[in-house]
Amino acid sequence: MMSKQTRQVSQEQIAHQWDCINQIQHLLSVRADAPHFYCQTFGCQQNEADTERIAGMLREMGYEPTDDPKNANVIVVNTCAVREHAEKRVLGIMGQYTHLKEENDDLTICMCGCMVQQEHMAEKIKKSYPRVDIVFGTHALWRFPELLLRRLSGSKRIFDISGDDRGEISEGLPVLRGQGCHAWLSIMYGCNNFCTYCIVPYVRGRERSRKPEDIEREFRELIAEGYKDITLLGQNVNSYGKDLGLGVDFADLLARLDKVPGEYRIRFMTSHPKDASDKLFETMANGTHISHQLHLPFQSGSDEILKRMNRHYDAAHYRSLIQSAREKMPDLVLSSDIIVGFPGETEEDFQKTLEMVRFGQYDILYTFLYSKRSGTPAAEMPDSATKEEKQDRFDRLLAEQETINAARQEAYQDRIVRVLIDGTSNSKQPTDHPLTGRTDGGLLVMCRGDGLKLGEFADVRIERTSLRALYGVEVGNG
Ligand code: 5AD
Ligand code: SF4
């Protein structure tokens, strides 16, 4: 039984979108040349996955993908609002795209995603970017065919940033995934946590989980299509299922997917420490296909700051989680997010963050300078540290992590690791390691060996390491 909170978009509404897709296909069929679309994505993996849905709809309409915005008849920019820097970059790029309209009046420019879901941003686009045709927020993504058809049929500019606090889940619309063996699979949308610095809950709405059977169906399709590295996505996967009322939690879902036969890996992100459990770590440790990789953002090592961030755990609890996860998975690859310069952060608070970094021994750290987001509680909090002090902390954090990172990478020397060969080196210099692969934990390995094949698993021996990558040779090949 679905709880009152989460609604599924009705089958009639989905059928209507398919009808709009077909009508656009009909409109385009009279053209002499093939129309093209160009998508650009800012921000997180969830946005990448959303763009794949938009691309899927566009391809069904009859548009072909292009890498060159100048060749496009439809441009879609999927935006991010997490930090100010991303918003500025989006506005810069919109200036360039809207110029393209001077030479090409058969161009429809669309903006979607988190940044434009904010009312003040939608207003800004309305006033300052008159050549943007369609602006639609995160809640309207599934209505894209309807919006595009209206605009192509002569409607005036469209702004659809209506929100729905209960949120909706849409199933049954197409997806165009990137080439290669990796696929994103969204298992839930939205966030209920309201960390005080974060804009996400305001722009993506409340948590809503897809039904386990819908996820499993898509998962099986991916395996059947040959995808071998599948990342389950959610803002906080650890609260998966709470809104469904089925008694199924994230660990149950993982265990269910892990039973699907085949040669593949499952990863997931992001895990909020307040909901991470021993049950999850046990499921990971006992799984057949589940990567021993955990992204567990701690944000700050100071209990005082964590409280003001509304994170609902303290440093001691976080440490106990890492200890438990490492006990169950000694080969765990661990990563985290950290915010430096949260309002009121003192040098003493920052020292606690450094201590946590030393304790955690992370393989990968994503470090961010705090960015004020209007409408969030932290934007109103008093701040004393100067920009220079914050930058200095940030630099010291990077230096600390670099030392840890080097040691962790060096520890792989001469070890044999299983990798999935997923691409070719983009190095401009001639290289003796022409292929790229990922370890079970997601670490990058540059590989060599005559028997290695794209899209296949192989054992390689690590012959050297750097901060950026491991370098491996196929076992039995030198
Ligand atoms: N400023 C800086 N970093 C932020 N993040 C979220 N909001 C902000 C902000 N206002 C970071 C957090 C989160 C990651 C996705 O982005 O570390 O985990
Ligand atoms: Fe933002 Fe916190 Fe939700 Fe992550 S858990 S999306 S940081 S509010």
Side-chain angles (χ1 to χ4, degrees):
M1 193 195 75
M2 299 274 282
S3 82
K4 279 182 226 112
Q5 284 172 343
T6 299
R7 278 188 330 202
Q8 194 106 4
V9 175
S10 74
Q11 285 186 356
E12 291 76 46
Q13 282 166 321
I14 296 295
H16 177 56
Q17 300 312 312
W18 276 103
D19 189 42
C20 295
I21 288 175
N22 292 334
Q23 287 190 51
I24 294 175
Q25 203 179 54
H26 188 70
L27 281 179
L28 298 178
S29 65
V30 297
R31 298 174 62 112
D33 57 331
H36 287 89
F37 74 90
Y38 175 80
C39 290
Q40 183 167 5
T41 311
F42 290 82
C44 64
Q45 292 79 8
Q46 187 63 62
N47 258 17
E48 302 263 353
D50 285 350
T51 299
E52 290 181 348
R53 296 171 71 199
I54 293 165
M57 298 184 217
L58 283 162
R59 202 190 39 183
E60 288 291 330
M61 293 167 191
Y63 293 95
E64 292 295 327
T66 173
D67 291 335
D68 182 359
K70 290 198 196 80
N71 285 342
N73 305 87
V74 175
I75 292 179
V76 181
V77 180
N78 193 358
T79 64
C80 172
V82 169
R83 282 170 289 275
E84 193 186 4
H85 177 65
E87 293 192 330
K88 285 196 166 143
R89 278 179 58 215
V90 168
L91 293 176
I93 210 95
M94 291 324 292
Q96 292 175 27
Y97 293 154
T98 51
H99 268 307
L100 294 176
K101 275 208 168 179
E102 282 163 16
E103 288 132 46
N104 179 8
D105 54 12
D106 177 26
L107 171 61
T108 306
I109 298 182
C110 314
M111 291 178 78
C112 63
C114 294
M115 172 179 154
V116 299
Q117 182 70 51
Q118 305 168 97
E119 228 154 86
H120 71 275
M121 271 300 170
E123 268 315 303
K124 187 179 176 98
I125 310 262
K126 204 177 263 180
K127 284 207 193 90
S128 313
Y129 294 82
R131 288 175 177 156
V132 173
D133 297 278
I134 305 176
V135 171
F136 60 108
T138 56
H139 301 277
L141 189 132
W142 59 271
R143 281 196 295 274
F144 176 58
E146 179 183 331
L147 305 180
L148 184 59
L149 178 63
R150 264 172 43 207
R151 181 64 175 162
L152 293 178
S153 310
S155 145
K156 57 184 198 318
R157 304 171 72 201
I158 297 170
F159 286 79
D160 185 347
I161 59 157
S162 52
D164 181 343
D165 221 31
R166 290 181 301 171
E168 287 185 305
I169 292 274
S170 58
E171 299 287 350
L173 286 165
V175 184
L176 175 59
R177 292 197 157 82
Q179 282 167 353
C181 46
H182 176 261
W184 306 116
L185 176 49
S186 299
I187 62 164
M188 60 191 297
Y189 305 94
C191 181
N192 285 359
N193 293 308
F194 290 96
C195 302
T196 53
Y197 50 81
C198 186
I199 196 74
V200 169
Y202 303 91
V203 291
R204 283 200 173 265
R206 295 295 67 72
E207 279 171 4
R208 49 218 189 268
S209 307
R210 293 177 69 191
K211 289 190 227 162
E213 59 269 32
D214 289 331
I215 296 170
E216 185 180 330
R217 183 186 33 75
E218 189 171 349
F219 187 79
R220 283 181 180 274
E221 282 166 13
L222 293 174
I223 304 292
E225 285 167 29
Y227 289 100
K228 298 208 166 140
D229 188 351
I230 298 170
T231 305
L232 309 180
L233 291 180
Q235 240 70 46
N236 172 20
V237 293
N238 293 339
S239 57
Y240 172 80
K242 284 186 182 167
D243 56 317
L244 292 175
L246 296 169
V248 176
D249 65 15
F250 180 59
D252 299 328
L253 178 74
L254 259 185
R256 176 173 173 162
L257 298 178
D258 188 40
K259 290 203 186 83
V260 174
E263 201 188 21
Y264 62 85
R265 281 175 182 147
I266 315 177
R267 325 175 181 279
F268 56 87
M269 63 190 309
T270 291
S271 285
H272 194 306
K274 84 178 164 56
D275 305 305
S277 65
D278 275 351
K279 179 179 170 188
L280 171 67
F281 302 151
E282 264 150 34
T283 307
M284 291 170 73
N286 297 332
T288 309
H289 306 96
I290 308 169
S291 288
H292 292 178
Q293 177 186 6
L294 190 62
H295 183 59
L296 198 64
F298 72 85
Q299 313 294 0
S300 166
S302 151
D303 288 346
E304 182 52 40
I305 297 288
L306 286 172
K307 215 176 276 160
R308 274 190 265 144
M309 286 178 162
N310 193 33
R311 290 288 289 179
H312 295 282
Y313 57 83
D314 59 16
H317 177 69
Y318 183 85
R319 281 196 174 87
S320 71
L321 287 176
I322 299 184
Q323 243 157 358
S324 166
R326 286 213 193 273
E327 265 163 34
K328 295 179 178 65
M329 294 171 281
D331 59 345
L332 182 73
V333 169
L334 188 64
S335 57
S336 188
D337 294 343
I338 297 177
I339 296 178
V340 173
F342 184 79
E345 182 192 72
T346 62
E347 176 61 27
E348 205 185 335
D349 293 317
F350 175 67
Q351 286 299 329
K352 291 181 179 150
T353 294
L354 284 183
E355 278 166 31
M356 188 66 93
V357 167
R358 284 178 211 124
F359 180 86
Q361 292 290 306
Y362 297 93
D363 296 278
I364 304 163
L365 263 193
Y366 301 93
T367 48
F368 307 105
L369 271 170
Y370 169 73
S371 170
K372 194 187 221 178
R373 305 286 65 207
S374 79
T376 62
E380 311 300 323
M381 292 181 189
D383 197 5
S384 47
T386 63
K387 222 173 153 188
E388 290 71 29
E389 279 168 324
K390 291 179 182 183
Q391 187 61 50
D392 178 56
R393 287 175 198 165
F394 189 80
D395 294 343
R396 282 186 280 150
L397 175 61
L398 287 192
E400 184 75 47
Q401 176 58 16
E402 207 166 285
T403 313
I404 294 170
N405 216 213
R408 289 197 70 78
Q409 293 279 95
E410 278 161 23
Y412 280 90
Q413 181 71 39
D414 297 327
R415 273 171 55 183
I416 291 176
V417 291
R418 191 159 173 71
V419 292
L420 175 60
I421 303 295
D422 63 356
T424 49
S425 164
N426 57 10
S427 164
K428 302 244 175 359
Q429 317 296 331
T431 170
D432 51 356
H433 292 84
L435 295 169
T436 62
R438 294 270 164 191
T439 65
D440 177 46
L443 298 177
L444 174 66
V445 190
M446 310 304 297
C447 300
R448 68 183 179 98
D450 301 335
L452 301 178
K453 284 204 189 78
L454 267 178
E456 289 191 5
F457 288 92
D459 289 331
V460 299
R461 187 176 47 76
I462 301 304
E463 46 187 354
R464 76 183 154 91
T465 70
S466 76
L467 263 186
R468 200 183 69 82
L470 305 170
Y471 294 81
V473 58
E474 180 189 8
V475 171
N477 195 299

